[in-house]
Amino acid sequence: MKRKILCMLTAAAMLTAAACSEKNENGASSAVNEKTGVQSDMVYFSNTGSVYNGGFIYKFGIDSPTYFLDLNTQEKSALCAVPNCTHRISSCLAQQAGDKPVFYKDCVYYFVSSFGYEEVPEGHRFYMKSTLYKAKLDSSEAEKVIEITDCVPTEGGGIVLDGNTIWFIGDDKSPIPENVYDDTWISESATPGSHFVCSINLDTEEYKNFGSITDEDKQYPCRSQCNNANIRGIYKDKLVIDYQYAFKDMENAVMEEYNPTDYVKFLSFEFDTKTETLTQNERPAPIAADENVYIGYDFAENTMTVIADSGERNYNYDELSASVAACNGKVFGLTKWIDTAHFSEHTYPESIDEWVNVAYHNGSYYFLTTKGKTIEISEEMMKSE
């Protein structure tokens, strides 16, 4: 149990930010920088909330339904069109859609996954499967799109919509060794199996698995203690992926003296969806990105690196924290925000409370708070602080 807690603490430091997105003319979503007018067909749907059609899509807690919060009216509604639904039953779309639903052509797409052991005449057999569903936004009527059985989408990170295709990390949840019936090998936060870059074309329903991101962790028997990969955002039209695995046994690690880099290796990759090529790079492992801004975390030095068109700067972790977000060329940290155009640092207006995500919409920044409300701050007010 201790080793799983340590891995979860490590993973908790790798939180993500959602892209600033709007709905384009063909019904898909586009990442839009309203200040510069730059638009891309790639949209990042995050497990910490996404921005769609002028609103936040989010949920707080495992049992919470998925909500849509309109930034213009501040009205909140569950992601369900069924009259008189309580949104607390498992069959409700707002419960089924999870924490990072994808929107395309007036439908919401979401995965329902399961894995574990099933009884067979020979004894026990491990299984895993994930079904992609789509539901109409005006009726919540859902239908099966495709079922995959070679992996399940990872719990963390996000999903990217690029035109008509979704991109995600798939986890092979098979236990080690494969023929042992032992549930302790199966973890939601880590898997000893491979991690794949995968895609599904939402128009043709074609599924592709591009193979293992890396196999260098397979030489370490202790890799099952901490092993995961996540898409952390979009940078320069490429998916940015962090990959971490245990190379040293954490079984007897002392929590008070725990240093992640003594036990876990952190890698950085990017995937080009146009050429379908994966490349490892030397950047610090990504925790957030927003097209022209990349934020990485160096666990050994306890520093965050911000890379932008104007240059590169390092910051102490305590200055920004793991909940850092990148939006519209700005970096939003725990105690301050940074304009990457010239790396000027600014304090927040007093009205800003504890927030979990930030969006840029119609010339203002919207901060989604831990209470499910938003605080609007205009561009001018942000600069005046």
Side-chain angles (χ1 to χ4, degrees):
M1 180 60 70
K2 180 189 295 183
R3 66 189 184 189
K4 291 185 179 180
I5 293 174
L6 291 173
C7 183
M8 291 172 67
L9 289 174
T10 301
M14 305 293 287
L15 301 181
T16 59
C20 305
S21 60
E22 296 293 339
K23 190 177 179 182
N24 64 24
E25 294 180 357
N26 67 6
S29 297
S30 293
V32 178
N33 183 322
E34 296 186 11
K35 184 177 180 181
T36 63
V38 175
Q39 178 168 313
S40 169
D41 284 335
M42 302 181 73
V43 181
Y44 180 62
F45 291 91
S46 166
N47 65 335
T48 56
S50 305
V51 186
Y52 169 77
N53 202 23
F56 273 115
I57 302 292
Y58 71 96
K59 65 178 298 181
F60 289 122
I62 297 177
D63 298 326
S64 166
T66 303
Y67 288 103
F68 175 79
L69 178 62
D70 191 299
L71 295 178
N72 296 312
T73 65
Q74 292 296 297
E75 293 181 357
K76 180 179 73 173
S77 59
L79 190 64
C80 173
V82 177
N84 302 318
C85 181
T86 64
H87 314 306
R88 297 294 177 182
I89 57 177
S90 60
S91 59
C92 171
L93 176 60
Q95 290 287 346
Q96 289 280 326
D99 58 3
K100 46 179 179 283
V102 173
F103 297 86
Y104 178 69
K105 290 185 177 179
D106 296 321
C107 288
V108 57
Y109 289 78
Y110 58 95
F111 286 101
V112 175
S113 306
S114 62
F115 60 92
Y117 287 93
E118 58 186 358
E119 299 291 335
V120 295
E122 296 78 15
H124 304 287
R125 180 176 62 190
F126 183 81
Y127 76 95
M128 58 182 171
K129 63 179 180 179
S130 186
T131 304
L132 178 67
Y133 290 91
K134 74 173 181 179
K136 296 180 179 179
L137 291 174
D138 58 358
S139 67
S140 295
E141 295 181 359
E143 63 179 84
K144 177 180 175 181
V145 177
I146 188 175
E147 182 177 279
I148 57 179
T149 58
D150 58 349
C151 64
V152 297
T154 185
E155 294 287 326
I159 296 175
V160 170
L161 174 65
D162 184 7
N164 62 356
T165 302
I166 59 172
W167 296 83
F168 59 95
I169 301 298
D171 292 339
D172 178 1
K173 291 290 188 179
S174 300
I176 312 175
E178 295 181 350
N179 62 344
V180 173
Y181 175 51
D182 183 358
D183 281 321
T184 61
W185 286 104
I186 307 170
S187 168
E188 290 290 345
S189 61
T191 173
S194 297
H195 308 280
F196 316 112
V197 176
C198 304
S199 70
I200 299 177
N201 185 307
L202 300 182
D203 290 333
T204 65
E205 301 178 8
E206 179 186 12
Y207 166 68
K208 292 182 180 180
N209 183 324
F210 293 90
S212 178
I213 295 174
T214 181
D215 289 325
E216 72 171 62
D217 55 335
K218 303 302 184 289
Q219 61 183 301
Y220 300 103
C222 60
R223 67 184 184 276
S224 61
Q225 297 176 5
C226 184
N227 194 307
N228 53 73
N230 297 281
I231 298 174
R232 297 300 181 183
I234 304 163
Y235 180 64
K236 302 297 185 182
D237 288 329
K238 296 181 177 64
L239 315 182
V240 294
I241 302 168
D242 82 89
Y243 195 111
Q244 52 184 283
Y245 66 87
F247 64 88
K248 182 179 178 181
D249 191 353
M250 296 187 288
E251 188 68 41
N252 298 315
V254 179
M255 186 72 69
E256 292 76 12
E257 302 174 359
Y258 176 67
N259 184 330
T261 56
D262 290 339
Y263 299 89
V264 180
K265 190 168 185 178
F266 301 88
L267 307 176
S268 175
F269 294 86
E270 63 181 19
F271 188 90
D272 189 327
T273 61
K274 304 300 187 294
T275 61
E276 299 181 347
T277 55
L278 178 74
T279 306
Q280 186 174 354
N281 56 67
E282 297 301 318
R283 301 188 195 113
I287 57 174
D290 184 34
E291 188 53 43
N292 293 316
V293 176
Y294 178 99
I295 306 174
Y297 182 30
D298 187 327
F299 282 84
E301 300 296 331
N302 198 34
T303 58
M304 287 191 174
T305 300
V306 177
I307 303 173
D309 293 341
S310 58
E312 178 178 323
R313 293 285 179 87
N314 291 326
Y315 299 89
N316 186 277
Y317 172 84
D318 296 332
E319 295 180 273
L320 297 178
S321 87
S323 58
V324 65
C327 182
N328 193 39
K330 312 292 191 299
V331 173
F332 297 92
L334 179 64
T335 61
K336 63 184 177 183
W337 67 273
I338 301 165
D339 188 337
T340 63
H342 33 71
F343 285 98
S344 58
E345 301 179 12
H346 308 267
T347 59
Y348 290 106
E350 293 183 359
S351 57
I352 299 296
D353 199 357
E354 293 185 8
W355 55 271
V356 295
N357 213 328
V358 61
Y360 184 71
H361 175 69
N362 289 342
S364 292
Y365 292 91
Y366 291 82
F367 294 83
L368 179 64
T369 71
T370 55
K371 298 179 181 179
K373 298 181 180 180
T374 60
I375 300 172
E376 178 186 0
I377 304 293
S378 67
E379 179 96 16
E380 290 72 21
M381 290 180 63
M382 289 289 292
K383 290 182 177 179
S384 66
E385 295 297 322

